[in-house]
Protein backbone atom coordinates (compact mmCIF):
# COMPACT_ATOMS: atom_id res chain seq x y z
CA UNK A 1 0.00 0.00 0.00
CA UNK A 2 1.33 3.42 -0.94
CA UNK A 3 1.49 5.96 1.89
CA UNK A 4 -1.21 8.60 1.92
CA UNK A 5 0.43 12.00 1.58
CA UNK A 6 -0.88 15.47 2.17
CA UNK A 7 1.53 18.05 0.75
CA UNK A 8 0.95 21.67 1.58
CA UNK A 9 1.15 24.31 -1.12
CA UNK A 10 4.41 26.18 -1.27
CA UNK A 11 4.28 27.30 -4.90
CA UNK A 12 7.34 28.14 -6.91
CA UNK A 13 9.74 28.16 -3.95
CA UNK A 14 9.58 24.45 -3.26
CA UNK A 15 9.50 23.22 -6.86
CA UNK A 16 12.49 25.34 -7.86
CA UNK A 17 14.53 24.24 -4.85
CA UNK A 18 13.87 20.56 -5.39
CA UNK A 19 14.57 20.79 -9.08
CA UNK A 20 17.60 22.95 -9.11
CA UNK A 21 19.21 22.64 -5.69
CA UNK A 22 20.76 25.52 -3.85
CA UNK A 23 21.11 27.76 -6.91
CA UNK A 24 17.44 27.44 -7.65
CA UNK A 25 16.68 27.92 -3.96
CA UNK A 26 18.50 31.26 -3.99
CA UNK A 27 16.60 32.25 -7.12
CA UNK A 28 13.28 31.28 -5.60
CA UNK A 29 13.97 33.40 -2.53
CA UNK A 30 14.63 36.37 -4.83
CA UNK A 31 11.32 35.73 -6.57
CA UNK A 32 9.52 35.83 -3.23
CA UNK A 33 10.76 39.36 -2.54
CA UNK A 34 13.33 40.73 -0.15
CA UNK A 35 13.45 39.04 3.24
CA UNK A 36 13.46 41.07 6.44
CA UNK A 37 16.91 42.16 7.55
CA UNK A 38 18.56 39.61 9.81
CA UNK A 39 21.37 40.01 12.28
CA UNK A 40 23.65 37.63 14.14
CA UNK A 41 23.21 33.91 13.50
CA UNK A 42 20.18 34.45 11.26
CA UNK A 43 22.39 35.66 8.40
CA UNK A 44 23.86 32.18 7.99
CA UNK A 45 20.75 30.28 9.06
CA UNK A 46 19.40 27.40 7.01
CA UNK A 47 16.24 28.26 5.06
CA UNK A 48 13.21 25.97 5.37
CA UNK A 49 11.01 26.17 2.27
CA UNK A 50 8.66 23.22 2.75
CA UNK A 51 7.10 21.04 5.45
CA UNK A 52 5.27 17.96 4.17
CA UNK A 53 3.29 15.36 6.12
CA UNK A 54 2.77 11.73 5.08
CA UNK A 55 1.16 8.89 7.04
CA UNK A 56 1.30 5.11 6.68
CA UNK A 57 -0.08 2.72 9.25
CA UNK A 58 0.82 3.94 12.73
CA UNK A 59 3.61 6.25 11.53
CA UNK A 60 3.38 9.86 10.39
CA UNK A 61 6.39 11.59 8.85
CA UNK A 62 7.17 15.28 8.84
CA UNK A 63 9.63 16.11 6.06
CA UNK A 64 11.40 19.47 6.06
CA UNK A 65 13.12 20.81 2.96
CA UNK A 66 16.11 22.94 3.92
CA UNK A 67 18.82 24.85 2.11
CA UNK A 68 21.58 23.07 4.06
CA UNK A 69 22.04 20.28 6.64
CA UNK A 70 21.24 20.97 10.30
CA UNK A 71 21.45 18.98 13.50
CA UNK A 72 17.99 18.19 14.88
CA UNK A 73 17.08 16.84 18.31
CA UNK A 74 13.65 15.62 19.37
CA UNK A 75 11.85 14.81 22.60
CA UNK A 76 8.22 14.35 23.68
CA UNK A 77 6.17 15.93 26.46
CA UNK A 78 2.93 15.01 28.20
CA UNK A 79 -0.02 17.15 29.39
CA UNK A 80 -0.62 18.04 26.63
CA UNK A 81 0.86 15.41 24.32
CA UNK A 82 3.39 17.02 22.03
CA UNK A 83 6.74 16.45 20.37
CA UNK A 84 9.47 19.06 20.20
CA UNK A 85 12.16 19.29 17.53
CA UNK A 86 15.06 21.59 18.39
CA UNK A 87 17.15 23.03 15.55
CA UNK A 88 19.82 25.65 15.12
CA UNK A 89 18.33 28.94 13.99
CA UNK A 90 16.25 28.38 10.84
CA UNK A 91 14.67 30.97 8.55
CA UNK A 92 11.21 29.49 7.99
CA UNK A 93 9.92 30.46 4.53
CA UNK A 94 7.02 28.04 4.86
CA UNK A 95 3.40 28.79 3.93
CA UNK A 96 1.29 30.02 6.85
CA UNK A 97 -1.13 27.12 6.37
CA UNK A 98 1.59 24.47 6.72
CA UNK A 99 0.95 23.46 10.30
CA UNK A 100 -2.80 23.86 10.47
CA UNK A 101 -4.01 20.58 8.96
CA UNK A 102 -4.14 17.24 10.71
CA UNK A 103 -2.40 14.17 9.31
CA UNK A 104 -2.18 10.82 11.07
CA UNK A 105 -0.86 11.22 14.59
CA UNK A 106 0.00 14.89 13.99
CA UNK A 107 -2.83 17.23 14.97
CA UNK A 108 -0.95 20.42 14.05
CA UNK A 109 2.47 22.00 14.41
CA UNK A 110 4.03 25.43 14.79
CA UNK A 111 7.56 26.74 14.39
CA UNK A 112 9.69 29.75 15.14
CA UNK A 113 12.63 31.19 17.03
CA UNK A 114 12.90 29.70 20.52
CA UNK A 115 16.06 31.42 21.74
CA UNK A 116 18.88 33.37 20.09
CA UNK A 117 20.52 31.01 17.60
CA UNK A 118 17.95 28.29 18.25
CA UNK A 119 14.66 27.42 16.50
CA UNK A 120 11.98 24.97 17.52
CA UNK A 121 9.09 23.03 16.01
CA UNK A 122 6.33 21.99 18.41
CA UNK A 123 4.07 19.21 17.15
CA UNK A 124 0.67 18.77 18.80
CA UNK A 125 0.01 15.04 18.86
CA UNK A 126 -3.41 13.48 18.29
CA UNK A 127 -2.35 10.60 20.55
CA UNK A 128 0.74 9.19 22.27
CA UNK A 129 3.63 8.85 19.83
CA UNK A 130 7.42 8.88 19.92
CA UNK A 131 10.04 10.09 17.47
CA UNK A 132 11.68 6.98 16.02
CA UNK A 133 14.80 8.74 14.75
CA UNK A 134 15.60 11.69 12.55
CA UNK A 135 17.01 11.09 9.09
CA UNK A 136 18.86 13.70 7.05
CA UNK A 137 19.49 13.27 3.33
CA UNK A 138 21.02 15.68 0.82
CA UNK A 139 19.56 15.38 -2.67
CA UNK A 140 21.56 15.55 -5.87
CA UNK A 141 20.17 19.03 -6.40
CA UNK A 142 21.70 20.19 -3.11
CA UNK A 143 18.53 20.48 -1.00
CA UNK A 144 18.48 18.79 2.42
CA UNK A 145 15.51 16.64 3.48
CA UNK A 146 15.06 16.15 7.22
CA UNK A 147 12.56 13.37 7.97
CA UNK A 148 11.01 13.13 11.45
CA UNK A 149 8.87 9.99 11.95
CA UNK A 150 6.22 9.86 14.69
CA UNK A 151 5.18 6.32 15.70
CA UNK A 152 2.07 5.58 17.72
CA UNK A 153 2.73 3.94 21.09
CA UNK A 154 0.80 2.99 24.19
CA UNK A 155 0.32 5.57 26.92
CA UNK A 156 2.78 3.91 29.32
CA UNK A 157 5.55 3.92 26.72
CA UNK A 158 4.86 7.54 25.89
CA UNK A 159 4.90 8.52 29.55
CA UNK A 160 8.30 6.91 30.03
CA UNK A 161 9.66 8.65 26.95
CA UNK A 162 8.36 12.03 28.14
CA UNK A 163 9.92 11.90 31.61
CA UNK A 164 13.22 13.44 30.51
CA UNK A 165 11.55 16.45 28.85
CA UNK A 166 13.72 19.27 27.55
CA UNK A 167 17.28 18.97 28.91
CA UNK A 168 18.21 22.41 27.57
CA UNK A 169 15.52 24.98 28.49
CA UNK A 170 15.93 28.47 27.12
CA UNK A 171 17.53 31.10 29.30
CA UNK A 172 16.71 34.71 28.61
CA UNK A 173 19.30 37.32 29.38
CA UNK A 174 18.83 39.37 32.52
CA UNK A 175 19.11 43.12 31.96
CA UNK A 176 22.36 44.61 33.17
CA UNK A 177 22.09 45.67 36.81
CA UNK A 178 21.66 49.33 37.61
CA UNK A 179 24.93 51.21 38.09
CA UNK A 180 25.48 52.33 41.68
CA UNK A 181 25.17 56.01 40.78
CA UNK A 182 22.08 55.53 38.59
CA UNK A 183 19.06 56.05 40.84
CA UNK A 184 16.49 56.21 38.04
CA UNK A 185 13.60 53.74 38.36
CA UNK A 186 13.98 50.61 36.24
CA UNK A 187 10.92 49.63 34.22
CA UNK A 188 10.71 46.20 32.57
CA UNK A 189 8.39 46.11 29.57
CA UNK A 190 7.20 42.64 28.62
CA UNK A 191 5.94 42.01 25.08
CA UNK A 192 3.74 38.93 25.41
CA UNK A 193 4.34 35.68 23.53
CA UNK A 194 7.03 35.60 20.80
CA UNK A 195 8.99 33.22 18.61
CA UNK A 196 7.27 29.87 18.35
CA UNK A 197 4.33 31.17 20.42
CA UNK A 198 2.28 33.58 18.25
CA UNK A 199 -0.39 34.33 20.86
CA UNK A 200 -3.80 35.30 19.50
CA UNK A 201 -4.22 35.34 15.72
CA UNK A 202 -6.57 37.73 13.91
CA UNK A 203 -8.75 36.52 11.05
CA UNK A 204 -6.49 38.54 8.75
CA UNK A 205 -3.46 36.50 9.89
CA UNK A 206 -1.96 39.22 12.11
CA UNK A 207 -0.19 37.80 15.18
CA UNK A 208 -0.54 39.15 18.71
CA UNK A 209 3.19 38.69 19.28
CA UNK A 210 4.00 41.18 16.50
CA UNK A 211 1.47 43.81 17.57
CA UNK A 212 2.53 43.81 21.22
CA UNK A 213 6.23 43.79 20.37
CA UNK A 214 5.83 46.91 18.25
CA UNK A 215 3.86 48.56 21.04
CA UNK A 216 6.43 47.56 23.70
CA UNK A 217 9.26 49.06 21.65
CA UNK A 218 7.29 52.28 21.09
CA UNK A 219 6.58 52.59 24.82
CA UNK A 220 10.22 51.89 25.61
CA UNK A 221 11.40 54.61 23.23
CA UNK A 222 8.85 57.04 24.64
CA UNK A 223 10.04 56.48 28.20
CA UNK A 224 13.75 56.47 27.35
CA UNK A 225 13.35 59.81 25.59
CA UNK A 226 12.42 61.44 28.91
CA UNK A 227 15.75 60.47 30.45
CA UNK A 228 13.97 59.73 33.72
CA UNK A 229 13.89 55.94 33.56
CA UNK A 230 16.00 52.91 32.79
CA UNK A 231 14.16 50.55 30.48
CA UNK A 232 14.59 46.83 29.83
CA UNK A 233 12.62 44.57 27.49
CA UNK A 234 12.02 40.90 28.31
CA UNK A 235 12.57 40.22 24.60
CA UNK A 236 14.23 42.44 22.01
CA UNK A 237 13.32 40.31 19.00
CA UNK A 238 10.81 37.67 17.88
CA UNK A 239 11.95 35.02 20.34
CA UNK A 240 10.21 32.73 22.85
CA UNK A 241 10.64 33.59 26.54
CA UNK A 242 9.13 31.35 29.21
CA UNK A 243 6.74 32.95 31.71
CA UNK A 244 9.00 32.21 34.67
CA UNK A 245 11.92 33.80 32.80
CA UNK A 246 9.97 37.01 32.35
CA UNK A 247 9.38 37.21 36.09
CA UNK A 248 13.01 36.29 36.81
CA UNK A 249 14.29 39.02 34.52
CA UNK A 250 12.35 41.66 36.44
CA UNK A 251 13.25 40.34 39.89
CA UNK A 252 16.97 39.81 39.29
CA UNK A 253 17.28 43.26 37.76
CA UNK A 254 15.48 44.66 40.83
CA UNK A 255 12.90 46.36 38.64
CA UNK A 256 10.67 49.07 40.09
CA UNK A 257 7.77 48.31 37.72
CA UNK A 258 6.80 45.47 35.35
CA UNK A 259 4.35 46.11 32.49
CA UNK A 260 3.23 43.17 30.35
CA UNK A 261 1.60 44.02 27.00
CA UNK A 262 -0.96 41.68 25.38
CA UNK A 263 -3.98 41.64 23.06
CA UNK A 264 -6.90 39.23 23.40
CA UNK A 265 -9.17 37.50 20.89
CA UNK A 266 -12.64 35.97 21.16
CA UNK A 267 -13.67 34.72 17.73
CA UNK A 268 -17.13 33.74 18.98
CA UNK A 269 -17.83 37.29 20.18
CA UNK A 270 -16.44 39.81 17.66
CA UNK A 271 -18.57 42.53 19.30
CA UNK A 272 -16.42 42.44 22.45
CA UNK A 273 -13.83 45.21 22.42
CA UNK A 274 -11.82 47.57 24.60
CA UNK A 275 -8.74 47.50 26.80
CA UNK A 276 -8.44 45.85 30.22
CA UNK A 277 -5.79 46.21 32.93
CA UNK A 278 -5.07 43.16 35.07
CA UNK A 279 -3.30 42.80 38.38
CA UNK A 280 -2.33 39.53 40.04
CA UNK A 281 -4.53 37.62 42.46
CA UNK A 282 -5.14 34.00 43.44
CA UNK A 283 -8.87 34.60 42.92
CA UNK A 284 -10.07 35.97 39.59
CA UNK A 285 -12.50 38.87 39.44
CA UNK A 286 -14.83 36.89 37.18
CA UNK A 287 -15.01 33.80 35.00
CA UNK A 288 -13.82 35.64 31.87
CA UNK A 289 -10.68 36.81 33.68
CA UNK A 290 -10.02 33.30 34.99
CA UNK A 291 -10.33 31.82 31.49
CA UNK A 292 -8.01 34.44 30.01
CA UNK A 293 -5.38 33.81 32.70
CA UNK A 294 -5.64 30.08 32.05
CA UNK A 295 -5.04 30.63 28.32
CA UNK A 296 -2.11 32.96 28.89
CA UNK A 297 -0.59 30.59 31.43
CA UNK A 298 -0.40 27.93 28.69
CA UNK A 299 2.18 29.96 26.77
CA UNK A 300 5.02 27.72 28.01
CA UNK A 301 3.26 24.62 26.67
CA UNK A 302 2.84 26.35 23.30
CA UNK A 303 6.60 26.89 23.21
CA UNK A 304 7.38 23.28 24.12
CA UNK A 305 8.39 24.03 27.71
CA UNK A 306 7.14 22.84 31.06
CA UNK A 307 5.62 25.45 33.33
CA UNK A 308 7.82 25.61 36.40
CA UNK A 309 6.76 26.93 39.75
CA UNK A 310 5.92 30.59 39.73
CA UNK A 311 7.73 33.22 41.73
CA UNK A 312 4.75 33.76 44.02
CA UNK A 313 5.43 30.85 46.39
CA UNK A 314 5.40 32.43 49.82
CA UNK A 315 8.30 31.17 51.92
CA UNK A 316 7.51 33.05 55.14
CA UNK A 317 5.31 35.71 56.67
CA UNK A 318 7.73 38.51 55.71
CA UNK A 319 7.52 37.60 52.03
CA UNK A 320 3.73 37.36 52.30
CA UNK A 321 3.60 40.88 53.70
CA UNK A 322 5.87 42.08 50.89
CA UNK A 323 3.54 40.45 48.36
CA UNK A 324 0.53 42.22 49.83
CA UNK A 325 2.31 45.56 49.75
CA UNK A 326 3.44 44.97 46.16
CA UNK A 327 -0.08 44.14 45.04
CA UNK A 328 -1.24 47.36 46.64
CA UNK A 329 1.30 49.27 44.53
CA UNK A 330 0.17 47.29 41.47
CA UNK A 331 -3.47 48.21 42.06
CA UNK A 332 -2.47 51.85 42.55
CA UNK A 333 -0.63 51.90 39.23
CA UNK A 334 -3.60 50.20 37.51
CA UNK A 335 -5.82 53.03 38.75
CA UNK A 336 -3.47 55.66 37.33
CA UNK A 337 -3.35 53.78 34.03
CA UNK A 338 -7.15 53.76 33.79
CA UNK A 339 -7.27 57.46 34.50
CA UNK A 340 -4.80 58.26 31.72
CA UNK A 341 -5.94 55.72 29.14
CA UNK A 342 -9.70 56.28 29.31
CA UNK A 343 -9.60 59.62 27.41
CA UNK A 344 -7.54 58.21 24.51
CA UNK A 345 -8.77 54.63 24.05
CA UNK A 346 -11.89 52.56 24.55
CA UNK A 347 -11.87 50.54 27.77
CA UNK A 348 -13.79 47.30 28.41
CA UNK A 349 -16.88 47.11 30.62
CA UNK A 350 -14.63 46.16 33.58
CA UNK A 351 -11.39 48.02 32.88
CA UNK A 352 -9.54 46.75 36.01
CA UNK A 353 -9.68 43.06 36.84
CA UNK A 354 -7.69 40.53 38.82
CA UNK A 355 -6.61 37.00 37.87
CA UNK A 356 -3.87 34.47 38.50
CA UNK A 357 -1.52 35.30 35.62
CA UNK A 358 1.82 33.57 36.15
CA UNK A 359 3.65 36.55 34.70
CA UNK A 360 2.25 38.76 37.50
CA UNK A 361 3.49 36.61 40.38
CA UNK A 362 6.56 38.56 41.43
CA UNK A 363 6.28 39.20 45.18
CA UNK A 364 8.46 42.32 45.12
CA UNK A 365 7.93 44.05 41.74
CA UNK A 366 4.66 45.97 41.13
CA UNK A 367 3.22 44.35 38.02
CA UNK A 368 0.32 44.86 35.63
CA UNK A 369 -0.80 43.16 32.43
CA UNK A 370 -2.45 45.38 29.83
CA UNK A 371 -4.74 43.81 27.23
CA UNK A 372 -4.72 46.55 24.58
CA UNK A 373 -7.83 45.25 22.82
CA UNK A 374 -9.24 42.34 20.85
CA UNK A 375 -7.84 41.05 17.58
CA UNK A 376 -11.29 39.56 16.96
CA UNK A 377 -12.84 43.06 16.93
CA UNK A 378 -12.51 44.86 13.60
CA UNK A 379 -12.46 48.30 15.22
CA UNK A 380 -9.92 47.26 17.87
CA UNK A 381 -7.66 45.65 15.28
CA UNK A 382 -7.66 48.79 13.13
CA UNK A 383 -6.54 50.82 16.17
CA UNK A 384 -3.91 48.29 17.20
CA UNK A 385 -2.37 48.62 13.73
CA UNK A 386 -2.54 52.43 13.74
CA UNK A 387 0.67 54.31 14.45
CA UNK A 388 -1.30 57.43 15.42
CA UNK A 389 -3.31 55.44 18.00
CA UNK A 390 -0.17 53.82 19.38
CA UNK A 391 1.49 57.22 19.80
CA UNK A 392 -1.47 58.53 21.82
CA UNK A 393 -1.70 55.44 24.00
CA UNK A 394 2.03 55.16 24.76
CA UNK A 395 2.03 58.86 25.65
CA UNK A 396 -0.81 58.34 28.12
CA UNK A 397 0.89 55.27 29.60
CA UNK A 398 4.04 57.34 30.08
CA UNK A 399 1.99 59.95 31.97
CA UNK A 400 0.57 57.24 34.23
CA UNK A 401 4.10 55.99 34.94
CA UNK A 402 5.18 59.55 35.81
CA UNK A 403 2.30 59.86 38.27
CA UNK A 404 3.07 56.47 39.78
CA UNK A 405 6.67 57.31 40.58
CA UNK A 406 5.82 60.86 41.65
CA UNK A 407 3.49 59.56 44.34
CA UNK A 408 5.33 56.63 45.88
CA UNK A 409 8.66 55.43 47.22
CA UNK A 410 10.25 52.33 45.72
CA UNK A 411 10.00 49.11 47.69
CA UNK A 412 12.56 48.70 50.47
CA UNK A 413 14.60 45.81 49.13
CA UNK A 414 18.34 45.37 48.59
CA UNK A 415 19.54 47.37 45.58
CA UNK A 416 16.25 49.19 45.01
CA UNK A 417 16.29 52.77 43.83
CA UNK A 418 15.94 55.40 46.55
CA UNK A 419 12.69 57.40 46.66
CA UNK A 420 12.29 60.16 44.13
CA UNK A 421 10.96 63.62 45.00
CA UNK A 422 7.60 64.33 43.44
CA UNK A 423 8.92 67.56 41.93
CA UNK A 424 11.58 65.67 39.98
CA UNK A 425 9.02 63.78 37.89
CA UNK A 426 7.25 65.92 35.33
CA UNK A 427 4.45 64.59 33.09
CA UNK A 428 5.40 63.49 29.59
CA UNK A 429 4.11 65.85 26.93
CA UNK A 430 1.57 64.30 24.57
Amino acid sequence: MQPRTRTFRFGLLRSLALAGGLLALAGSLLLSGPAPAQDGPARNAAVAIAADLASQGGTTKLVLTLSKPVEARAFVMERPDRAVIDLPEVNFQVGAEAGRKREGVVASFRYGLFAPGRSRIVVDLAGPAVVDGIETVTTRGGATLVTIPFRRVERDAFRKASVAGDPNPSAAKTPAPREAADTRPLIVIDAGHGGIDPGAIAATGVYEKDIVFGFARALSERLEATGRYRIALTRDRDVFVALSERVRIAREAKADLFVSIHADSISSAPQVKGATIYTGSEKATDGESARLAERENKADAAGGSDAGEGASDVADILQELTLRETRGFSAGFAGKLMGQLSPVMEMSAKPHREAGFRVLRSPDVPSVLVELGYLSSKSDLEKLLSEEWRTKVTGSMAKAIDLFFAGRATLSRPGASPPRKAASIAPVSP
Side-chain angles (χ1 to χ4, degrees):
M1 179 183 297
Q2 293 294 321
R4 182 167 58 92
T5 303
R6 176 180 289 142
T7 302
F8 300 116
R9 181 179 61 84
F10 302 109
L12 189 58
L13 284 176
R14 178 174 183 272
S15 57
L16 284 174
L18 292 176
L22 292 178
L23 180 59
L25 170 60
S28 66
L29 291 176
L30 290 173
L31 288 173
S32 68
Q38 303 282 353
D39 55 4
R43 292 180 178 177
N44 299 316
V47 179
I49 60 168
D52 303 330
L53 283 171
S55 60
Q56 182 177 25
T59 299
T60 303
K61 293 181 179 181
L62 171 62
V63 182
L64 303 175
T65 304
L66 303 172
S67 61
K68 65 179 183 179
V70 297
E71 291 186 8
R73 183 180 62 88
F75 58 93
V76 294
M77 304 179 76
E78 197 175 24
R79 296 192 303 271
D81 294 346
R82 58 205 188 279
V84 176
I85 298 93
D86 273 341
L87 306 158
E89 189 162 340
V90 171
N91 180 2
F92 286 96
Q93 299 288 332
V94 178
E97 75 280 9
R100 297 176 186 171
K101 296 182 180 180
R102 177 169 175 164
E103 178 66 31
V105 76
V106 174
S108 62
F109 64 91
R110 53 197 171 277
Y111 47 84
L113 194 63
F114 181 70
R118 180 178 168 197
S119 291
R120 171 168 284 189
I121 301 172
V122 178
V123 179
D124 298 313
L125 298 172
V130 295
V131 179
D132 256 345
I134 299 176
E135 180 182 275
T136 300
V137 175
T138 299
T139 68
R140 271 197 270 180
T144 296
L145 304 180
V146 178
T147 301
I148 306 147
F150 304 94
R151 176 174 56 85
R152 291 183 184 273
V153 295
E154 296 297 326
R155 173 60 59 182
D156 287 346
F158 180 76
R159 184 168 291 121
K160 290 178 181 178
S162 67
V163 169
D166 182 3
N168 296 303
S170 70
K173 292 184 178 179
T174 300
R178 171 191 291 109
E179 294 181 6
D182 194 344
T183 62
R184 294 177 300 165
L186 172 61
I187 302 169
V188 173
I189 302 174
D190 173 49
H193 306 280
I196 195 169
D197 173 23
I201 303 175
T204 57
V206 177
Y207 291 161
E208 175 188 355
K209 67 174 184 178
D210 297 326
I211 288 177
V212 300
F213 181 64
F215 188 94
R217 290 187 64 178
L219 178 59
S220 171
E221 292 169 0
R222 186 73 181 242
L223 292 170
E224 284 184 328
T226 70
R228 291 191 285 271
Y229 307 104
R230 293 182 67 247
I231 308 298
L233 298 172
T234 55
R235 62 182 181 94
D236 59 2
R237 61 193 297 197
D238 184 19
V239 65
F240 174 84
V241 182
L243 298 176
S244 59
E245 284 295 304
R246 298 168 190 263
V247 176
R248 185 189 66 80
I249 287 170
R251 294 195 70 198
E252 292 193 1
K254 294 182 172 60
D256 298 292
L257 183 64
F258 178 89
V259 182
S260 189
I261 307 297
H262 288 256
D264 200 2
S265 179
I266 307 178
S267 57
S268 60
Q271 74 280 3
V272 177
K273 57 184 178 178
T276 306
I277 301 163
Y278 288 90
T279 49
S281 174
E282 277 72 36
K283 185 177 181 181
T285 305
D286 48 52
E288 181 183 342
S289 300
R291 287 188 291 273
L292 175 61
E294 183 179 6
R295 289 200 307 272
E296 294 291 357
N297 290 345
K298 292 178 179 178
D300 286 352
S305 292
D306 271 328
E309 292 299 317
S312 65
D313 300 328
V314 178
D316 51 40
I317 188 65
L318 180 61
Q319 190 171 357
E320 184 176 3
L321 291 173
T322 301
L323 175 61
R324 290 179 184 178
E325 184 184 27
T326 301
R327 286 183 172 173
F329 282 128
S330 300
F333 177 56
K336 289 177 172 56
L337 267 180
M338 285 190 294
Q340 295 300 317
L341 292 180
S342 296
V344 298
M345 67 188 300
E346 185 170 0
M347 306 298 288
S348 65
K350 295 180 181 179
H352 179 204
R353 308 185 193 191
E354 297 180 340
F357 292 91
R358 292 190 66 238
V359 79
L360 299 181
R361 289 184 181 177
S362 173
D364 51 6
V365 180
S367 306
V368 300
L369 185 149
V370 182
E371 292 280 355
L372 295 172
Y374 291 83
L375 273 65
S376 48
S377 162
K378 183 179 179 181
S379 61
D380 272 6
L381 183 58
E382 288 177 353
K383 293 171 183 174
L384 290 168
L385 297 174
S386 165
E387 186 174 350
E388 180 182 0
W389 178 89
R390 185 168 61 187
T391 299
K392 290 180 180 179
V393 175
T394 55
S396 293
M397 290 184 74
K399 288 181 182 179
I401 290 171
D402 283 345
L403 292 172
F404 176 66
F405 284 107
R408 69 172 280 264
T410 55
L411 289 172
S412 299
R413 61 182 184 276
S417 301
R420 300 275 305 203
K421 292 181 180 179
S424 67
I425 303 291
V428 177
S429 59

